[in-house]
Coordinates of all heavy atoms in Angstrom, one line a residue:
M94 N 115.6 68.4 105.5 CA 114.5 68.9 106.1 C 114.7 68.8 107.7 O 115.2 67.8 108.1 CB 113.2 68.2 105.7 CG 112.8 68.7 104.3 SD 111.4 67.8 103.7 CE 112.1 67.1 102.3
A95 N 114.2 69.7 108.4 CA 114.3 69.7 109.8 C 113.5 68.7 110.4 O 112.3 68.5 110.1 CB 114.0 71.1 110.4
A96 N 114.0 68.0 111.5 CA 113.2 67.0 112.2 C 112.2 67.8 113.0 O 112.5 68.9 113.5 CB 114.2 66.2 113.1
G97 N 111.0 67.2 113.2 CA 110.0 67.9 114.0 C 109.2 68.9 113.3 O 108.5 69.7 114.0
N98 N 109.2 69.0 112.0 CA 108.4 70.0 111.2 C 107.0 69.5 111.3 O 106.6 68.5 110.8 CB 108.9 70.1 109.8 CG 108.1 71.1 109.0 OD1 106.9 71.3 109.1 ND2 108.8 71.8 108.1
I99 N 106.2 70.3 112.1 CA 104.8 69.9 112.4 C 104.0 69.8 111.1 O 103.1 69.0 110.9 CB 104.2 70.8 113.4 CG1 102.8 70.2 113.9 CG2 104.0 72.2 112.9 CD1 102.3 71.0 115.1
V100 N 104.3 70.7 110.1 CA 103.5 70.7 108.9 C 103.8 69.5 108.0 O 102.9 68.9 107.4 CB 103.7 72.0 108.1 CG1 102.9 72.0 106.8 CG2 103.4 73.2 109.0
I101 N 105.1 69.0 108.0 CA 105.4 67.8 107.3 C 104.8 66.6 108.0 O 104.3 65.7 107.3 CB 107.0 67.7 107.2 CG1 107.5 68.7 106.2 CG2 107.3 66.2 106.8 CD1 109.0 68.7 106.1
G102 N 104.8 66.6 109.3 CA 104.1 65.5 110.1 C 102.6 65.5 109.7 O 102.0 64.4 109.5
W103 N 102.0 66.7 109.6 CA 100.6 66.7 109.2 C 100.4 66.2 107.8 O 99.5 65.4 107.6 CB 100.1 68.2 109.3 CG 98.8 68.5 108.7 CD1 97.6 68.2 109.1 CD2 98.7 69.2 107.4 NE1 96.7 68.6 108.2 CE2 97.3 69.2 107.1 CE3 99.6 69.7 106.5 CZ2 96.8 69.9 106.0 CZ3 99.1 70.3 105.4 CH2 97.7 70.4 105.1
L104 N 101.3 66.6 106.9 CA 101.2 66.1 105.5 C 101.2 64.6 105.4 O 100.4 64.0 104.7 CB 102.3 66.7 104.6 CG 102.1 68.1 104.0 CD1 103.4 68.5 103.4 CD2 100.9 68.1 103.1
R105 N 102.1 64.0 106.2 CA 102.3 62.6 106.2 C 101.1 61.9 106.8 O 100.8 60.7 106.5 CB 103.6 62.2 106.9 CG 104.8 62.6 106.1 CD 106.1 62.3 106.9 NE 107.3 62.7 106.1 CZ 108.5 62.8 106.6 NH1 108.7 62.5 107.8 NH2 109.5 63.2 105.8
A106 N 100.4 62.6 107.7 CA 99.2 62.0 108.3 C 98.0 62.2 107.5 O 97.0 61.5 107.8 CB 99.0 62.6 109.7
C107 N 98.0 63.1 106.5 CA 96.8 63.3 105.7 C 96.5 62.1 104.8 O 97.4 61.3 104.5 CB 97.1 64.5 104.7 SG 97.1 66.1 105.5
S108 N 95.3 62.0 104.5 CA 94.9 60.9 103.6 C 95.5 61.1 102.2 O 95.9 62.2 101.8 CB 93.3 60.8 103.4 OG 92.9 62.0 102.6
E109 N 95.6 60.0 101.5 CA 96.2 60.1 100.1 C 95.4 61.1 99.2 O 96.0 61.9 98.5 CB 96.2 58.7 99.5 CG 96.9 58.6 98.1 CD 98.4 58.9 98.2 OE1 99.0 58.5 99.3 OE2 99.0 59.5 97.3
Q110 N 94.1 61.1 99.3 CA 93.3 62.0 98.5 C 93.6 63.4 98.9 O 93.6 64.3 98.0 CB 91.8 61.7 98.7 CG 91.4 60.3 98.2 CD 91.6 59.2 99.2 OE1 92.0 59.4 100.3 NE2 91.5 58.0 98.7
H111 N 93.7 63.7 100.2 CA 94.0 65.1 100.6 C 95.4 65.5 100.1 O 95.5 66.6 99.6 CB 94.0 65.1 102.1 CG 93.9 66.5 102.7 ND1 93.8 66.8 104.0 CD2 94.0 67.7 102.1 CE1 93.8 68.1 104.2 NE2 93.9 68.7 103.1
R112 N 96.4 64.7 100.2 CA 97.7 65.0 99.7 C 97.7 65.2 98.2 O 98.3 66.1 97.7 CB 98.7 63.9 100.0 CG 99.2 64.0 101.5 CD 100.5 63.1 101.7 NE 100.3 61.8 101.3 CZ 99.8 60.8 102.1 NH1 99.4 61.1 103.3 NH2 99.6 59.6 101.6
E113 N 96.9 64.4 97.5 CA 96.8 64.6 96.0 C 96.2 65.9 95.7 O 96.6 66.6 94.7 CB 96.0 63.4 95.4 CG 96.7 62.1 95.3 CD 95.9 61.0 94.9 OE1 94.7 61.2 94.5 OE2 96.4 59.8 94.9
R114 N 95.1 66.3 96.4 CA 94.5 67.6 96.2 C 95.5 68.8 96.5 O 95.6 69.7 95.7 CB 93.3 67.8 97.1 CG 92.5 69.1 96.9 CD 91.3 69.2 97.8 NE 91.6 69.1 99.2 CZ 92.1 70.1 99.9 NH1 92.3 71.3 99.4 NH2 92.3 70.0 101.2
L115 N 96.3 68.6 97.5 CA 97.3 69.7 97.8 C 98.4 69.7 96.8 O 98.8 70.7 96.3 CB 97.9 69.4 99.2 CG 97.0 69.6 100.4 CD1 97.6 69.0 101.7 CD2 96.6 71.0 100.6
A116 N 98.8 68.5 96.3 CA 99.8 68.4 95.2 C 99.3 69.0 93.9 O 100.0 69.7 93.2 CB 100.2 67.0 95.0
R117 N 98.0 68.9 93.6 CA 97.5 69.5 92.4 C 97.5 71.0 92.5 O 97.9 71.7 91.6 CB 96.0 69.0 92.2 CG 95.9 67.7 91.5 CD 94.5 67.4 91.0 NE 93.5 67.5 92.0 CZ 93.2 66.5 92.8 NH1 93.8 65.3 92.7 NH2 92.2 66.6 93.7
R118 N 97.2 71.5 93.7 CA 97.3 73.0 93.9 C 98.8 73.4 93.8 O 99.0 74.5 93.1 CB 96.8 73.3 95.3 CG 96.8 74.8 95.5 CD 96.5 75.3 96.9 NE 95.4 74.6 97.5 CZ 95.2 74.6 98.9 NH1 96.0 75.2 99.7 NH2 94.1 74.0 99.4
L119 N 99.7 72.6 94.3 CA 101.1 72.9 94.1 C 101.5 73.0 92.6 O 102.1 73.9 92.1 CB 102.0 71.9 94.8 CG 103.5 72.0 94.6 CD1 104.0 73.3 95.3 CD2 104.1 70.8 95.2
G120 N 101.0 72.0 91.9 CA 101.3 71.9 90.4 C 100.7 73.1 89.7 O 101.3 73.6 88.8
Q121 N 99.5 73.6 90.1 CA 98.9 74.8 89.5 C 99.8 76.0 89.7 O 99.9 76.8 88.8 CB 97.5 75.0 90.0 CG 96.5 74.0 89.5 CD 95.2 74.1 90.2 OE1 95.0 74.8 91.2 NE2 94.2 73.2 89.8
G122 N 100.4 76.1 90.9 CA 101.2 77.2 91.1 C 102.5 77.2 90.3 O 103.0 78.3 89.9
V123 N 103.0 76.0 90.0 CA 104.2 75.9 89.3 C 104.0 76.2 87.8 O 104.9 76.7 87.1 CB 104.9 74.5 89.5 CG1 106.0 74.3 88.6 CG2 105.3 74.4 91.0
T124 N 102.8 75.8 87.3 CA 102.6 75.9 85.8 C 102.1 77.3 85.4 O 101.8 77.5 84.3 CB 101.6 74.9 85.4 OG1 100.4 75.0 86.1 CG2 102.1 73.5 85.6
R125 N 101.9 78.2 86.4 CA 101.5 79.6 86.0 C 102.6 80.2 85.3 O 103.8 79.9 85.4 CB 101.2 80.4 87.3 CG 100.0 79.9 88.0 CD 99.7 80.8 89.1 NE 98.5 80.4 89.8 CZ 98.3 80.4 91.1 NH1 99.2 80.9 91.9 NH2 97.2 79.9 91.6
P126 N 102.3 81.3 84.5 CA 103.4 82.0 83.8 C 104.4 82.5 84.7 O 104.1 83.0 85.8 CB 102.6 83.2 83.1 CG 101.2 82.7 83.0 CD 101.0 81.8 84.2
G127 N 105.7 82.2 84.4 CA 106.8 82.6 85.2 C 107.3 81.5 86.1 O 108.3 81.6 86.8
G128 N 106.5 80.4 86.1 CA 107.0 79.2 86.9 C 106.9 79.4 88.4 O 106.1 80.2 88.9
L129 N 107.8 78.8 89.1 CA 107.8 78.8 90.6 C 108.7 79.9 91.0 O 109.9 79.7 91.1 CB 108.2 77.5 91.1 CG 108.2 77.3 92.7 CD1 106.8 77.6 93.2 CD2 108.7 76.0 93.1
S130 N 108.1 81.1 91.3 CA 108.9 82.2 91.8 C 109.0 82.1 93.3 O 108.2 81.3 93.9 CB 108.3 83.5 91.3 OG 107.0 83.7 92.0
E131 N 109.8 82.9 93.9 CA 109.9 82.9 95.3 C 108.6 83.4 95.9 O 108.1 82.8 97.0 CB 111.0 83.9 95.8 CG 111.4 83.8 97.2 CD 112.6 84.5 97.5 OE1 113.5 84.8 96.7 OE2 112.8 84.9 98.7
R132 N 107.9 84.3 95.3 CA 106.6 84.7 95.7 C 105.5 83.6 95.7 O 104.8 83.4 96.6 CB 106.1 85.9 94.9 CG 104.9 86.6 95.3 CD 104.6 87.8 94.4 NE 103.5 88.5 94.9 CZ 103.1 89.6 94.4 NH1 103.7 90.1 93.3 NH2 102.0 90.3 94.9
T133 N 105.6 82.8 94.6 CA 104.6 81.7 94.5 C 104.9 80.6 95.5 O 104.0 80.1 96.1 CB 104.7 81.1 93.1 OG1 104.4 82.1 92.1 CG2 103.7 80.0 92.9
L134 N 106.2 80.4 95.7 CA 106.6 79.4 96.7 C 106.1 79.8 98.1 O 105.6 79.0 98.9 CB 108.2 79.3 96.7 CG 108.7 78.3 97.8 CD1 108.2 76.9 97.6 CD2 110.3 78.3 97.7
D135 N 106.3 81.1 98.4 CA 105.8 81.6 99.7 C 104.3 81.5 99.9 O 103.8 81.2 100.9 CB 106.3 83.0 100.0 CG 107.8 83.1 100.3 OD1 108.3 82.0 100.8 OD2 108.4 84.1 100.2
A136 N 103.6 81.7 98.8 CA 102.1 81.6 98.8 C 101.7 80.2 99.0 O 100.8 79.9 99.8 CB 101.5 82.2 97.5
L137 N 102.4 79.3 98.3 CA 102.1 77.8 98.5 C 102.4 77.4 100.0 O 101.6 76.7 100.6 CB 102.9 77.0 97.5 CG 102.5 77.1 96.1 CD1 103.6 76.5 95.2 CD2 101.1 76.5 95.8
A138 N 103.5 77.9 100.5 CA 103.9 77.6 101.8 C 102.9 78.1 102.8 O 102.4 77.4 103.8 CB 105.3 78.1 102.1
A139 N 102.4 79.3 102.6 CA 101.4 79.9 103.5 C 100.1 79.2 103.4 O 99.4 79.0 104.4 CB 101.2 81.4 103.1
G140 N 99.7 78.7 102.2 CA 98.5 77.9 102.1 C 98.6 76.6 102.8 O 97.6 76.2 103.5
L141 N 99.7 75.9 102.8 CA 99.9 74.7 103.5 C 99.8 75.0 105.0 O 99.2 74.2 105.8 CB 101.2 74.0 103.2 CG 101.3 73.3 101.8 CD1 102.6 72.7 101.6 CD2 100.2 72.2 101.7
L142 N 100.5 76.0 105.5 CA 100.4 76.4 106.9 C 99.0 76.7 107.3 O 98.5 76.2 108.4 CB 101.3 77.6 107.2 CG 102.8 77.4 107.3 CD1 103.5 78.7 107.3 CD2 103.1 76.6 108.5
A143 N 98.2 77.4 106.5 CA 96.8 77.7 106.9 C 96.0 76.5 106.9 O 95.2 76.3 107.8 CB 96.3 78.7 105.9
E144 N 96.2 75.6 105.9 CA 95.4 74.4 105.9 C 95.7 73.5 107.1 O 94.9 72.9 107.7 CB 95.7 73.6 104.6 CG 94.7 72.5 104.3 CD 94.0 72.6 103.0 OE1 94.2 73.5 102.2 OE2 93.2 71.6 102.8
C145 N 97.0 73.4 107.4 CA 97.4 72.6 108.6 C 96.8 73.2 109.8 O 96.3 72.4 110.7 CB 99.0 72.6 108.6 SG 99.6 71.7 110.1
A146 N 96.9 74.5 110.0 CA 96.4 75.1 111.2 C 94.9 74.8 111.3 O 94.4 74.5 112.4 CB 96.6 76.6 111.1
G147 N 94.1 74.9 110.2 CA 92.7 74.6 110.3 C 92.4 73.2 110.7 O 91.6 73.0 111.6
D148 N 93.2 72.2 110.2 CA 93.0 70.8 110.6 C 93.4 70.6 112.1 O 92.8 69.8 112.8 CB 93.9 69.9 109.8 CG 93.3 69.6 108.4 OD1 92.1 70.1 108.1 OD2 93.9 68.9 107.6
L149 N 94.3 71.4 112.6 CA 94.7 71.3 114.0 C 93.8 72.2 114.9 O 94.1 72.4 116.1 CB 96.2 71.7 114.2 CG 97.2 70.8 113.4 CD1 98.6 71.3 113.6 CD2 97.1 69.4 114.0
E150 N 92.8 72.8 114.3 CA 91.9 73.7 115.0 C 92.6 74.9 115.7 O 92.4 75.2 116.8 CB 91.0 72.9 116.0 CG 90.2 71.9 115.4 CD 89.3 71.1 116.4 OE1 89.4 71.3 117.6 OE2 88.6 70.2 115.9
M151 N 93.5 75.5 114.9 CA 94.3 76.6 115.3 C 94.1 77.7 114.2 O 93.7 77.4 113.1 CB 95.8 76.3 115.4 CG 96.2 75.2 116.3 SD 97.9 74.8 116.1 CE 98.6 75.9 117.2
G152 N 94.4 78.9 114.6 CA 94.5 80.0 113.6 C 95.9 79.9 112.9 O 96.8 79.5 113.6
P153 N 96.0 80.4 111.7 CA 97.3 80.4 111.0 C 98.4 81.2 111.9 O 99.5 80.7 111.9 CB 97.0 81.1 109.7 CG 95.6 80.9 109.5 CD 94.9 80.9 110.8
G154 N 98.0 82.3 112.5 CA 98.9 83.0 113.3 C 99.4 82.2 114.5 O 100.6 82.3 114.9
E155 N 98.5 81.4 115.1 CA 98.9 80.6 116.2 C 99.9 79.5 115.8 O 100.9 79.3 116.5 CB 97.7 79.8 116.8 CG 96.7 80.7 117.5 CD 95.5 79.9 118.0 OE1 94.6 79.6 117.1 OE2 95.5 79.4 119.1
L156 N 99.7 78.9 114.7 CA 100.6 77.9 114.2 C 102.0 78.5 113.8 O 103.0 78.0 114.1 CB 100.1 77.1 113.0 CG 101.0 76.0 112.4 CD1 101.3 75.0 113.4 CD2 100.3 75.4 111.2
A157 N 101.9 79.7 113.2 CA 103.1 80.4 112.8 C 104.0 80.7 114.0 O 105.2 80.6 114.0 CB 102.8 81.7 112.0
N158 N 103.3 81.1 115.1 CA 104.1 81.4 116.4 C 104.6 80.1 117.0 O 105.7 80.1 117.5 CB 103.2 82.1 117.4 CG 102.9 83.5 117.0 OD1 103.6 84.2 116.4 ND2 101.7 84.0 117.5
L159 N 104.0 79.0 116.8 CA 104.4 77.7 117.3 C 105.6 77.2 116.6 O 106.5 76.6 117.3 CB 103.2 76.7 117.3 CG 103.5 75.3 117.8 CD1 103.7 75.4 119.3 CD2 102.3 74.4 117.4
V160 N 105.7 77.3 115.3 CA 106.7 76.7 114.5 C 108.1 77.5 114.5 O 109.1 76.9 114.1 CB 106.3 76.4 113.1 CG1 105.1 75.5 113.0 CG2 106.0 77.7 112.3
G161 N 108.0 78.7 114.9 CA 109.3 79.5 115.0 C 109.6 80.3 113.7 O 109.5 81.5 113.7
N162 N 109.8 79.6 112.6 CA 110.1 80.2 111.4 C 109.1 79.7 110.3 O 109.4 78.7 109.6 CB 111.6 79.9 110.9 CG 112.0 80.7 109.7 OD1 111.1 81.1 108.9 ND2 113.3 80.8 109.5
P163 N 108.0 80.3 110.2 CA 106.9 79.8 109.4 C 107.3 79.7 107.9 O 106.9 78.8 107.2 CB 105.7 80.7 109.6 CG 106.3 81.9 110.3 CD 107.5 81.5 110.9
R164 N 108.1 80.6 107.4 CA 108.6 80.6 106.0 C 109.4 79.4 105.7 O 109.1 78.6 104.8 CB 109.4 81.9 105.7 CG 109.9 81.8 104.2 CD 110.7 83.0 103.9 NE 109.8 84.0 103.4 CZ 110.1 85.2 103.0 NH1 111.4 85.6 103.1 NH2 109.3 86.0 102.6
R165 N 110.3 79.1 106.6 CA 111.2 77.9 106.4 C 110.3 76.6 106.5 O 110.4 75.7 105.7 CB 112.3 77.8 107.4 CG 113.2 76.6 107.3 CD 114.3 76.5 108.4 NE 113.7 76.6 109.7 CZ 113.1 75.6 110.4 NH1 112.9 74.4 109.8 NH2 112.7 75.8 111.6
V166 N 109.5 76.5 107.6 CA 108.7 75.4 107.8 C 107.7 75.1 106.6 O 107.5 74.0 106.2 CB 107.9 75.5 109.2 CG1 106.8 74.5 109.3 CG2 108.9 75.4 110.3
G167 N 107.1 76.2 106.2 CA 106.2 76.1 105.0 C 106.9 75.7 103.8 O 106.4 74.8 103.0
R168 N 108.1 76.2 103.5 CA 108.8 75.9 102.3 C 109.3 74.4 102.4 O 109.2 73.7 101.4 CB 110.0 76.8 102.1 CG 109.6 78.2 101.6 CD 110.9 79.0 101.4 NE 110.5 80.3 100.7 CZ 111.4 81.1 100.2 NH1 112.7 80.8 100.4 NH2 111.1 82.2 99.6
E169 N 109.7 73.9 103.5 CA 110.0 72.5 103.7 C 108.8 71.6 103.4 O 109.0 70.6 102.8 CB 110.5 72.3 105.1 CG 111.9 72.8 105.4 CD 112.4 72.6 106.8 OE1 111.6 72.1 107.6 OE2 113.5 72.9 107.1
A170 N 107.6 72.1 103.8 CA 106.4 71.3 103.6 C 106.1 71.3 102.1 O 105.7 70.2 101.5 CB 105.3 71.8 104.4
V171 N 106.3 72.4 101.4 CA 106.1 72.4 99.9 C 107.0 71.4 99.2 O 106.6 70.7 98.4 CB 106.3 73.8 99.4 CG1 106.3 73.8 97.8 CG2 105.1 74.7 99.9
L172 N 108.3 71.4 99.7 CA 109.3 70.5 99.1 C 108.9 69.1 99.4 O 109.0 68.2 98.5 CB 110.7 70.8 99.7 CG 111.8 69.9 99.2 CD1 112.0 70.0 97.7 CD2 113.1 70.3 99.9
E173 N 108.5 68.8 100.6 CA 108.0 67.4 100.9 C 106.9 67.0 100.0 O 106.9 65.9 99.5 CB 107.6 67.4 102.4 CG 106.9 66.1 102.8 CD 107.9 65.0 103.1 OE1 109.1 65.3 103.2 OE2 107.5 63.9 103.3
L174 N 105.9 67.9 99.8 CA 104.8 67.6 99.0 C 105.2 67.3 97.5 O 104.7 66.4 96.9 CB 103.7 68.7 99.1 CG 102.4 68.4 98.4 CD1 101.7 67.2 99.0 CD2 101.5 69.6 98.6
A175 N 106.1 68.2 97.1 CA 106.6 68.0 95.7 C 107.4 66.7 95.5 O 107.2 66.0 94.5 CB 107.5 69.2 95.3
L176 N 108.2 66.4 96.5 CA 109.0 65.1 96.4 C 108.0 63.9 96.5 O 108.2 63.0 95.7 CB 110.0 65.1 97.5 CG 111.2 66.0 97.3 CD1 112.1 66.0 98.6 CD2 112.0 65.7 96.1
A177 N 107.0 64.0 97.3 CA 106.1 62.9 97.4 C 105.3 62.7 96.1 O 105.1 61.6 95.6 CB 105.1 63.1 98.5
G178 N 105.0 63.9 95.4 CA 104.3 63.8 94.1 C 105.2 63.2 93.0 O 104.8 62.4 92.2
L179 N 106.5 63.5 93.1 CA 107.4 63.0 92.1 C 107.6 61.5 92.3 O 107.7 60.7 91.3 CB 108.8 63.7 92.2 CG 108.9 65.1 91.7 CD1 110.3 65.7 92.0 CD2 108.6 65.2 90.2
Q180 N 107.7 61.0 93.5 CA 107.9 59.6 93.8 C 106.6 58.8 93.5 O 106.7 57.7 93.1 CB 108.2 59.4 95.3 CG 109.5 60.0 95.7 CD 109.8 60.0 97.2 OE1 108.9 59.7 98.0 NE2 111.0 60.3 97.5
G181 N 105.5 59.5 93.5 CA 104.2 58.8 93.3 C 103.8 58.8 91.8 O 102.9 58.1 91.4
S182 N 104.4 59.7 91.0 CA 104.0 59.8 89.6 C 104.7 58.8 88.7 O 105.9 58.5 89.0 CB 104.2 61.2 89.1 OG 105.6 61.5 89.1
P183 N 104.1 58.3 87.7 CA 104.7 57.4 86.8 C 105.9 58.0 86.0 O 105.8 59.2 85.8 CB 103.6 56.9 85.8 CG 102.5 57.9 86.0 CD 102.7 58.6 87.3
A184 N 106.9 57.3 85.7 CA 108.0 57.8 85.0 C 107.6 58.2 83.6 O 106.8 57.6 83.0 CB 109.2 56.8 84.9
Q185 N 108.2 59.4 83.2 CA 107.9 59.9 81.8 C 108.8 59.1 80.8 O 110.0 58.9 81.1 CB 108.2 61.4 81.7 CG 107.3 62.2 82.7 CD 105.9 62.3 82.1 OE1 105.7 62.3 80.9 NE2 105.0 62.5 83.1
A186 N 108.3 58.8 79.7 CA 109.1 58.1 78.6 C 110.0 59.0 77.9 O 109.8 60.2 77.8 CB 108.2 57.4 77.7

């Protein structure tokens, strides 16, 4: 993951409850019929960007312009959230 990803920094600064809510949304996208398609991944990434922008009191377009490549930044944030969820979930027997 790229250093300086503002959305990942925002995710790490979010409360545990907020990250859990975002992770549940991520899980819902993955369990839809067809699993995690590129389209679903981009929708999740856009949702994280929009939520981050709102918390930073910016519009989604403003944040997208700031980060350079919003698709990459958003996808990295989805991956970060998924990895955090995997690390925090109990091991399956």
Side-chain angles (χ1 to χ4, degrees):
M94 281 176 245
N98 182 323
I99 193 169
V100 183
I101 289 176
W103 164 77
L104 277 173
R105 291 177 179 166
C107 286
S108 70
E109 186 66 31
Q110 294 83 11
H111 195 174
R112 281 193 307 274
E113 286 173 4
R114 183 178 58 78
L115 293 168
R117 277 193 303 274
R118 186 187 314 161
L119 175 67
Q121 290 170 353
V123 173
T124 58
R125 289 186 182 143
L129 185 60
S130 67
E131 193 168 335
R132 186 176 187 177
T133 303
L134 177 60
D135 285 340
L137 292 167
L141 286 178
L142 281 169
E144 192 127 1
C145 176
D148 282 357
L149 298 175
E150 298 181 0
M151 304 172 86
E155 290 176 279
L156 181 59
N158 288 333
L159 180 68
V160 299
N162 185 339
R164 176 181 273 180
R165 180 186 52 78
V166 168
R168 285 180 170 194
E169 287 176 354
V171 170
L172 179 58
E173 173 79 12
L174 188 59
L176 289 173
L179 287 174
Q180 292 170 354
S182 64
Q185 299 286 331

